[in-house]
Amino acid sequence: MKTWLIAASCLLMFAAASVRAGEPSLPGGWSSPLRLAKMENVDPGDIATYEAARRVGKSASTDAVMVWSGKSHGAQTYLRLIPFTRFGDLDARQDTMAVSAANRDPLLRAPFVTQVWRRVDEMSFPSPTDPGLNELTAMSARIEIVSELDDAKRATLVQAWKTLETALAAQKYPLATVTYENSFGHGELIRIWLAKDEATLKSAATMSVLLGWELGDRKARDLLFEINQHVQIQSSFLVQRRPELSSPGQ
């Protein structure tokens, strides 16, 4: 998770993408492509204290926030996603963020980082079998931290991804996926596979198997080879949504 080590003070402006045509609008600001993403690691012995503090923070705040957690590198990893529409929204949060971070510092295990993510709609798509599945309704997910090896060839990667999406739709794939790019990174993508529950997530066919069913083994290998020429998965871990720590917003 070394690729996450980017300080919050380095926030930069970037253009926000629009919601892809045909996708439903989400409440509470979640239709915005922008997310403040906070990744925090906690040792097993500190989980109860950390979560108690988060419950207190939830009751005292009106912010929309979605919390996921799972085991990674021997720690409990928490991903907190907060939607926003303009960078002035972050300015208004600075005092709250600073106090909150100071209060939690003794509980956190490195690395813990804050980033800004922008959704990449060209590499995000709904579930063919569950149109209502999204960031607010999914209960289980697999997060992949992906290095984009040559971001100058993004168009080529997007085209290959469209072929993949078509194959997933034809095979009635039960998962949805949302892809973000880190606004500070050098070609870093965050790909999140969303499922209605953990059983569905774990039973979903792998990409190679599913593409083999749809395209045949040779075309499947060629497509995966094409995608892998442009990206490399750095880390992957499973998380569960934590409704008791989350506030989806209105």
Side-chain angles (χ1 to χ4, degrees):
M1 298 186 62
K2 293 180 180 179
T3 54
W4 291 84
L5 298 178
I6 300 175
S9 60
C10 296
L11 296 178
L12 299 176
M13 294 291 289
F14 56 89
S18 59
V19 177
R20 192 162 61 171
E23 291 186 352
S25 177
L26 300 179
W30 292 96
S31 288
S32 169
L34 301 176
R35 300 288 182 269
L36 179 66
K38 300 176 75 67
M39 182 74 75
E40 300 170 336
N41 292 305
V42 178
D43 284 322
D46 292 326
I47 289 175
T49 304
Y50 173 91
E51 293 190 358
R54 293 307 310 146
R55 289 186 179 92
V56 171
K58 172 186 173 181
S59 64
S61 173
T62 59
D63 290 331
V65 57
M66 192 63 68
V67 180
W68 301 81
S69 72
K71 290 182 172 57
S72 178
H73 301 283
Q76 185 80 351
T77 296
Y78 295 85
L79 172 62
R80 298 170 56 221
L81 292 178
I82 301 166
F84 69 99
T85 57
R86 58 188 183 88
F87 277 80
D89 298 337
L90 298 184
D91 294 337
R93 290 181 51 90
Q94 288 306 305
D95 290 342
T96 300
M97 289 168 59
V99 171
S100 183
N103 288 340
R104 289 199 310 276
D105 275 353
L107 299 176
L108 300 185
R109 167 179 168 178
F112 48 92
V113 298
T114 299
Q115 295 179 343
V116 169
W117 295 353
R118 181 177 68 87
R119 189 176 62 238
V120 182
D121 290 320
E122 296 85 355
M123 288 187 281
S124 303
F125 57 84
S127 166
T129 60
D130 189 354
L133 184 64
N134 56 51
E135 290 175 88
L136 302 187
T137 61
M139 294 301 296
S140 190
R142 182 173 70 251
I143 297 175
E144 297 173 344
I145 311 302
V146 180
S147 292
E148 194 170 3
L149 302 179
D150 188 350
D151 55 6
K153 296 183 179 179
R154 170 69 68 87
T156 303
L157 176 60
V158 167
Q159 188 58 47
W161 190 256
K162 287 180 179 178
T163 304
L164 172 62
E165 179 181 356
T166 299
L168 295 180
Q171 287 293 323
K172 309 296 184 185
Y173 200 55
L175 308 185
T177 187
V178 58
T179 300
Y180 291 99
E181 58 184 351
N182 174 16
S183 65
F184 312 110
H186 299 284
E188 183 180 72
L189 302 175
I190 301 91
R191 193 163 55 201
I192 305 178
W193 297 92
L194 301 166
K196 66 178 182 179
D197 53 39
E198 186 175 8
T200 301
L201 181 68
K202 290 184 175 180
S203 64
T206 65
M207 290 298 98
S208 58
V209 169
L210 185 143
L211 290 174
W213 293 340
E214 179 62 21
L215 304 175
D217 290 342
R218 180 174 179 178
K219 288 184 178 180
R221 285 195 301 269
D222 289 345
L223 177 60
L224 289 174
F225 179 80
E226 177 67 23
I227 292 174
N228 291 336
Q229 292 298 297
H230 302 288
V231 298
Q232 182 177 26
I233 297 177
Q234 298 297 318
S235 62
S236 174
F237 54 98
L238 303 183
V239 293
Q240 304 300 317
R241 184 156 68 90
R242 303 294 302 276
E244 74 279 16
L245 304 178
S246 304
S247 301
Q250 301 300 318

